[in-house]
């Protein structure tokens, strides 16, 4: 045995269960910020919410192969100098552990112009705060208020797959065809 | 890849900070940057996302028109020209395979398909079941030839390359600090020190603080979110190249290195054979932290390749200090 594999013999550190914090929730962009990022030139966003009919819902489901969970469509028409430049659609997907709010920009030809995540939350009993133990690692004093998205931002370790978002985009494109075009 | 950090970055400038995320590379890619004005920061982040999207397009196993798919479809019959970025990743994969005596191997794709981790492509030719990384020939003028009927998958290294490229885009855009995190493959630059956290392998919704990082890269591989049941056992897409067996799900491996591509690839080496990995880590000037769930206490045991047993090593490597109630075995 060389001393190169000595590191496997004894743990360098044993962390008690109390030293782990719940994983995270991040707000990346507000709706207004996402609108500006996806349509930098637009000067106006006109809300055009739609309630889907039963016929539209089944048309969207058969076109996209994705289930439509809600009849509400949150859509805005982007305008530049009074002229429509595209649609901004806001949507949510729920996975097993994650809740994701995202926005898709669709141009006037019905093609995806871009997309952004607004909110990503991994929920297991919400944002439990236990600043006391965290203080011993972050160099902060107990009693300092900790904001999860500020203090815990470098999480190395797989994020859940984004397959739900891919499905969501398919559904939104079919929604555009069925209800906004 | 590793532009020296400009001296100006060592004095933090007040600036505008933005943080954005998009689903790319099969995960959530998060990019944060600090720069002089909001417009410049958003433009820098946009450029960084474009770099990640390019890697996604060129090296996806899923997309039929990627360089990787063209290699898998045609490179046994004739040399296939690829883009410079793909070439660099293949060259790095080869270097890692040589250094680790094949513990890193991009030709495990068929095993991943068998286990259900990669899709089947109806138009890929049949494989012979023979051959390994040595049979991926890198010819002049960025051409690639397969010397055996095999298939490659670069997802064990390309994510790290995408992160490096995105960081370079942020630096080239004049950002004073930044961070790119592609589902656990992350890299930082700038003046501030930040704590790196990893998920608890026994309870992945919880995180544990690992080390302090200022500039540099980290990558973590673990099975918690990718595992699936195969023939009655939980398996991960982390395959031992020699046995072609899937690793179990009990541990997570974080590697710290100068660049993210090296860190990303090394996590696979440590997973495959932690004892052999020591020498490979040394060679790339990298460090591994292996987390194991402690089922008795619900806590976690951290093994550290930098642990020399000498007093003071913890401070030297910036390891989170012993939290008092830890018991040493």
């Amino acid at each position: 045995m060389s001393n190169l594999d000595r590191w496997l013999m004894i743990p360098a550190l044993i962390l008690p269960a109390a030293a782990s914090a719940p994983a995270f929730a991040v707000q990346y962009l507000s709706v207004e910020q996402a609108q500006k990022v996806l349509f930098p030139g637009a000067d106006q966003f006109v809300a055009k919410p739609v309630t889907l009919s039963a016929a539209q819902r089944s048309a969207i489901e058969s076109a996209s192969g994705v289930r439509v969970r809600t009849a509400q469509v949150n859509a805005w028409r982007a305008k530049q100098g009074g002229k429509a430049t595209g649609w901004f659609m806001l949507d949510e997907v729920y996975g097993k552990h994650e809740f994701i709010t995202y926005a898709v920009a669709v141009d006037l030809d019905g093609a995806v112009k871009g997309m952004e995540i607004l909110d990503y939350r991994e929920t297991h009993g919400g944002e439990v705060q236990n600043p006391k133990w965290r203080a011993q690692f972050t160099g902060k004093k107990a009693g300092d208020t900790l904001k999860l998205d500020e203090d815990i931002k470098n999480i190395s370790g797989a994020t859940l797959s984004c397959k739900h978002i891919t499905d969501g985009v398919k559904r939104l494109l079919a929604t555009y065809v069925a209800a906004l075009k | 890849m590793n532009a020296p950090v400009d001296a100006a970055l060592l004095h933090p400038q007040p600036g505008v900070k933005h943080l954005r995320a998009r689903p790319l590379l099969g995960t959530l890619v998060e990019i944060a940057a600090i720069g002089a004005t909001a417009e410049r920061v958003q433009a820098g982040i946009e450029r960084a996302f474009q770099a990640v999207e390019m890697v996604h397009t060129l090296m996806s196993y899923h997309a039929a028109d990627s360089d990787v798919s063209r290699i898998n479809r045609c490179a046994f019959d004739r040399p296939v020209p690829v883009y410079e970025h793909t070439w660099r990743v293949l060259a790095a994969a080869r270097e890692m395979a040589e250094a680790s005596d094949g513990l890193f191997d991009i030709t495990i794709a068929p095993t991943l398909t068998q286990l259900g981790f990669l899709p089947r492509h109806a138009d890929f030719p049949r494989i012979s079941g023979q051959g390994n990384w040595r049979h991926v020939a890198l010819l002049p003028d960025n051409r690639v030839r397969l010397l055996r009927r095999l298939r490659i998958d670069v997802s064990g290294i390309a994510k790290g390359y995408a992160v490096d490229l995105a960081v370079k885009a942020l630096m080239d855009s004049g950002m004073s600090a930044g961070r790119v995190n592609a589902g656990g493959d992350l890299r930082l630059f700038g003046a501030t020190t930040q704590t790196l956290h990893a998920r608890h392998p026994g309870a992945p919704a919880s995180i544990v603080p690992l080390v302090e990082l200022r500039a540099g890269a980290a990558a973590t591989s673990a099975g918690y979110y990718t595992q699936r049941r195969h023939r009655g056992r939980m398996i991960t897409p982390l395959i031992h190249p020699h046995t072609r067996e899937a690793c179990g799900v009990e541990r997570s491996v974080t590697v710290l290195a100068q660049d993210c591509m090296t860190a990303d690839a090394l996590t696979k080496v440590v997973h495959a054979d932690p004892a052999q990995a020591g020498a490979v880590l040394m060679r790339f000037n990298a460090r591994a932290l292996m987390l194991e769930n402690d089922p008795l206490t619900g806590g976690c045991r951290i093994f550290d390749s930098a642990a020399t047993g000498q007093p003071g090593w913890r401070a030297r490597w910036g390891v989170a200090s012993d939290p008092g109630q830890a018991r040493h075995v």
Side-chain angles (χ1 to χ4, degrees), chain B residues 202-287:
Chain B
S206 298
I207 50 176
V208 293
L210 272 189
V211 287
E212 298 289 318
L213 274 184
R214 196 177 75 186
T220 298
S221 285
Y224 26 75
Y225 288 141
T226 49
Q227 59 191 26
R228 47 185 299 157
R229 189 168 291 285
H230 182 78
R231 294 185 184 160
R233 159 173 114 91
M234 293 311 279
I235 53 157
T236 69
L238 297 155
I239 309 295
H240 193 301
H242 298 173
T243 62
R244 302 275 157 145
E245 290 279 320
C247 302
V249 295
E250 309 74 30
R251 56 169 63 144
S252 94
V253 171
T254 298
V255 173
L256 311 176
Q258 288 296 309
D259 65 274
C260 200
M261 178 164 66
T262 303
D264 191 12
L266 280 169
T267 58
K268 319 308 179 290
V269 176
V270 178
H271 261 290
D273 194 335
Q276 292 287 315
V280 191
L281 289 163
M282 292 266 290
R283 178 182 155 164
F284 287 96
N285 196 15
R287 171 184 172 198

Side-chain angles (χ1 to χ4, degrees), chain A residues 6-8 11-15 17 20-23 28 37 115-117 122 124 137 152 154-160, chain B residues 19-22 30 179 181 184 194-195 197-199 205-207 209 220 225 299-300 302 304-305 308 314 326-327:
Chain A
R6 248 187 30 187
W7 68 289
L8 298 165
L13 192 62
I14 297 178
L15 287 178
S20 54
Y28 294 103
V37 163
M115 69 158 306
E116 292 285 334
I117 309 274
E122 283 178 23
H124 278 273
F137 302 107
I152 298 194
N154 301 311
I155 299 181
S156 187
T159 308
L160 295 151
Chain B
L19 166 65
R20 279 162 56 187
R22 283 186 200 164
E30 193 184 74
R179 169 176 102 242
N181 186 350
Q194 306 184 10
T195 307
H197 298 78
R199 292 177 189 272
S206 298
I207 50 176
T220 298
Y225 288 141
C300 154
I302 303 180
D304 183 347
S305 69
T308 54
R314 226 179 237 120
R327 295 169 298 103

Side-chain angles (χ1 to χ4, degrees), chain A residues 57-66:
Chain A
R57 285 175 77 158
S58 57
I60 292 164
E61 287 186 353
S62 57
S64 65
V66 182

Side-chain angles (χ1 to χ4, degrees), chain B:
Chain B
M1 256 356 284
N2 297 314
V5 178
D6 195 69
L9 296 181
L10 300 176
H11 303 288
Q13 306 291 321
V16 184
K17 183 183 168 180
H18 280 288
L19 166 65
R20 279 162 56 187
R22 283 186 200 164
L24 284 164
L25 307 169
T27 183
L28 187 78
V29 177
E30 193 184 74
I31 300 181
I34 299 176
T37 66
E39 286 71 31
R40 284 179 63 181
V41 174
Q42 292 293 24
I45 292 179
E46 194 59 46
R47 237 176 104 176
F49 271 127
Q50 279 166 6
V52 176
E53 277 168 18
M54 183 177 58
V55 173
H56 184 119
T57 306
L58 291 178
M59 300 177 217
S60 158
Y61 188 90
H62 300 70
D65 55 354
S66 69
D67 274 355
V68 166
S69 288
R70 289 189 309 111
I71 289 168
N72 286 332
R73 206 177 296 114
C74 316
F76 180 71
D77 297 322
R78 58 177 185 275
V80 169
V82 297
Y83 284 86
E84 177 73 27
H85 291 293
T86 312
W87 178 264
R88 280 190 207 154
V89 168
L90 291 172
R94 190 180 181 89
E95 188 193 356
M96 188 58 71
E98 274 172 4
S100 65
D101 197 15
L103 287 176
F104 183 84
D105 190 332
I106 57 172
T107 67
I108 56 168
T111 308
L112 291 169
T113 304
Q114 269 168 16
L115 297 173
F117 290 113
L118 285 179
R120 291 181 191 279
H121 288 270
D123 60 340
F124 285 3
R126 288 189 66 83
I127 54 158
S128 62
Q130 306 286 311
N132 57 33
W133 61 273
R134 293 175 198 278
H135 303 107
V136 181
L138 303 180
L139 310 174
D141 304 324
N142 294 359
R143 288 171 311 135
V144 180
R145 185 85 199 261
L146 298 177
L147 308 178
R148 293 275 189 284
R149 291 185 175 277
L150 42 80
R151 277 179 218 147
I152 63 163
D153 166 38
V154 294
S155 57
I157 184 167
K159 235 190 342 217
Y161 182 74
V163 170
D164 289 330
L165 220 52
V167 162
K168 187 174 182 303
L170 292 177
M171 288 176 163
D172 291 348
S173 309
M175 301 296 112
S176 59
R179 169 176 102 242
V180 178
N181 186 350
D185 289 11
L186 65 91
R187 186 164 167 179
L188 311 170
F189 71 95
T192 52
T193 301
Q194 306 184 10
T195 307
L196 173 74
H197 298 78
R199 292 177 189 272
H200 187 317
S206 298
I207 50 176
V208 293
L210 272 189
V211 287
E212 298 289 318
L213 274 184
R214 196 177 75 186
T220 298
S221 285
Y224 26 75
Y225 288 141
T226 49
Q227 59 191 26
R228 47 185 299 157
R229 189 168 291 285
H230 182 78
R231 294 185 184 160
R233 159 173 114 91
M234 293 311 279
I235 53 157
T236 69
L238 297 155
I239 309 295
H240 193 301
H242 298 173
T243 62
R244 302 275 157 145
E245 290 279 320
C247 302
V249 295
E250 309 74 30
R251 56 169 63 144
S252 94
V253 171
T254 298
V255 173
L256 311 176
Q258 288 296 309
D259 65 274
C260 200
M261 178 164 66
T262 303
D264 191 12
L266 280 169
T267 58
K268 319 308 179 290
V269 176
V270 178
H271 261 290
D273 194 335
Q276 292 287 315
V280 191
L281 289 163
M282 292 266 290
R283 178 182 155 164
F284 287 96
N285 196 15
R287 171 184 172 198
L289 295 155
M290 196 161 70
L291 272 63
E292 280 185 358
N293 180 32
D294 187 345
L296 285 177
T297 63
C300 154
R301 289 191 289 260
I302 303 180
F303 296 86
D304 183 347
S305 69
T308 54
Q310 300 295 316
W313 67 265
R314 226 179 237 120
R316 195 164 55 247
W317 285 98
V319 183
S321 59
D322 214 324
Q325 59 275 65
R327 295 169 298 103
H328 279 271
V329 177

